[in-house]
Amino acid sequence: MSIDKLYIPTYNRVGSQIAFDSLPVKWQNKTVLVVHSEEIHDGFPTLSCPVQGTGIAPVRQWISRYAQGTRYGVIDDDIIFKYTRRENEEGPSNRDLTNNEFDIIMNLLNSWMDDGFVHVSCDAAWNPPTRNKDFRTNARPCGNVFYDGTKLPIDEIDWTGLEIAEDYYVTLQLLTMGYQNRVSLKYRVDPNITQSKGGCSSFRTLDLHNKCMKELQRKFPQFVELREKVTKNSGEWSGQPRLAATISWKKAYQSSQINTLEGFMNE
């Protein structure tokens, strides 16, 4: 089995599809836009989603059920995949992938699933590059998550408990259940600014963002620390203070192993 489908949830961005347009033709043929029934995206393959427009979390839950039993990716509609230069290489820090390199990364993500990882991802190119290491185990997803839907515990996950920061929330749940993830540092994604027009910005406000950050900390207090930072290069939020989270991803997974050991010893 291999990753054979990419889903791009998109809302209020008719006529502009950065992520889809950046994909090789081979992968465009394996990709669908997950859209509101009333939005017309001429020239793009679409999949009508009954909950599109109600928030990204319900859409991700809907995709997980629709794609159950397959391996698939869910990617933001405004990201572009990049290659991050290694320590012994020359050239730009992050460059667009070649068509062949896109196949390579899909094969890499598949191989991780073959090794037992249920959720895998690519690091964000806005993070400082790690040039001497190709991946990190138990780390932050950003704008892209690939799932092994044959093993994903769909009905055990609270997909909609947070209106935003939903990827963080689902990832923490999976890690604390004992499902490790792996994140590529060699192949990464370049996300658009946080509050670019359309998409989640249609409903995401600064107050909602801060509310969800506080709720994420409430749900996982031992792994989530909050701090205030001034937002830069994020559209309408630029220059305003917002809450940011420092998340102990590795500790989240380790907690599942401690609990398992304690449970075994107490039997």
Side-chain angles (χ1 to χ4, degrees):
M1 178 175 287
S2 61
I3 297 169
D4 208 36
K5 203 74 174 181
L6 302 181
Y7 297 91
I8 302 180
T10 188
Y11 181 67
N12 198 23
R13 281 188 174 142
V14 174
S16 176
Q17 291 299 327
I18 294 172
F20 186 93
D21 289 342
S22 71
L23 297 174
V25 172
K26 170 184 175 180
W27 284 93
Q28 288 180 348
N29 292 334
K30 298 182 179 185
T31 301
V32 292
L33 307 184
V34 182
V35 304
H36 189 281
S37 59
E38 296 180 0
E39 285 192 349
I40 305 299
H41 296 261
D42 288 332
F44 295 97
T46 60
L47 176 63
S48 179
C49 172
V51 295
Q52 181 60 276
T54 64
I56 187 60
V59 173
R60 291 183 183 277
Q61 181 182 51
W62 185 86
I63 292 172
S64 74
R65 291 172 176 166
Y66 182 88
Q68 187 172 11
T70 69
R71 289 181 177 179
Y72 64 96
V74 182
I75 64 177
D76 287 358
D77 62 3
D78 57 357
I79 65 169
I80 298 175
F81 284 83
K82 299 284 186 176
Y83 175 84
T84 296
R85 173 170 49 83
R86 302 292 81 203
E87 200 169 48
N88 60 344
E89 296 175 341
E90 297 181 354
S93 181
N94 299 291
R95 61 165 173 78
D96 292 352
L97 296 180
T98 65
N99 290 354
N100 183 57
E101 284 170 337
F102 201 89
D103 284 341
I104 290 173
I105 189 174
M106 292 297 112
N107 289 334
L108 176 65
L109 298 175
N110 267 311
S111 72
W112 290 347
M113 290 182 183
D114 289 341
D115 290 340
F117 290 90
V118 171
H119 52 139
V120 295
S121 184
C122 297
D123 187 35
W126 62 35
N127 292 327
T130 303
R131 303 199 189 280
N132 60 353
K133 187 176 181 180
D134 289 348
F135 62 83
R136 184 173 289 122
T137 300
N138 300 328
R140 168 190 175 181
C142 185
N144 70 107
V145 186
F146 296 80
Y147 294 108
D148 185 345
T150 68
K151 300 176 182 177
L152 184 66
I154 295 171
D155 295 329
E156 297 176 36
I157 299 170
D158 177 13
W159 294 89
T160 59
L162 289 184
E163 295 171 82
I164 57 175
E166 70 290 336
D167 278 346
Y168 292 177
Y169 182 40
V170 170
T171 298
L172 280 170
Q173 290 179 70
L174 286 169
L175 291 175
T176 55
M177 289 178 192
Y179 295 95
Q180 297 195 79
N181 77 347
R182 181 163 283 177
V183 175
S184 170
L185 303 174
K186 182 177 182 179
Y187 302 101
R188 305 202 291 172
V189 296
D190 186 11
N192 205 342
I193 59 176
T194 301
Q195 280 298 94
S196 57
K197 187 177 180 181
C200 291
S201 68
S202 302
F203 65 90
R204 180 174 53 199
T205 64
L206 189 56
D207 285 344
L208 178 60
H209 166 86
N210 289 338
K211 172 187 172 184
C212 288
M213 286 293 100
K214 291 176 182 177
E215 184 65 12
L216 183 66
Q217 184 188 48
R218 188 190 70 80
K219 291 176 181 292
F220 292 99
Q222 64 274 53
F223 310 126
V224 179
E225 294 183 6
L226 297 182
R227 67 190 188 281
E228 190 174 273
K229 63 184 292 187
V230 175
T231 306
K232 298 180 180 178
N233 301 320
S234 291
E236 64 188 39
W237 292 3
S238 291
Q240 299 186 60
R242 66 179 175 89
L243 291 177
T246 298
I247 301 176
S248 300
W249 305 104
K250 294 184 185 299
K251 288 184 179 179
Y253 173 71
Q254 289 168 0
S255 73
S256 72
Q257 302 308 292
I258 292 172
N259 292 339
T260 299
L261 179 60
E262 289 178 347
F264 174 79
M265 295 297 291
N266 290 329
E267 286 183 355

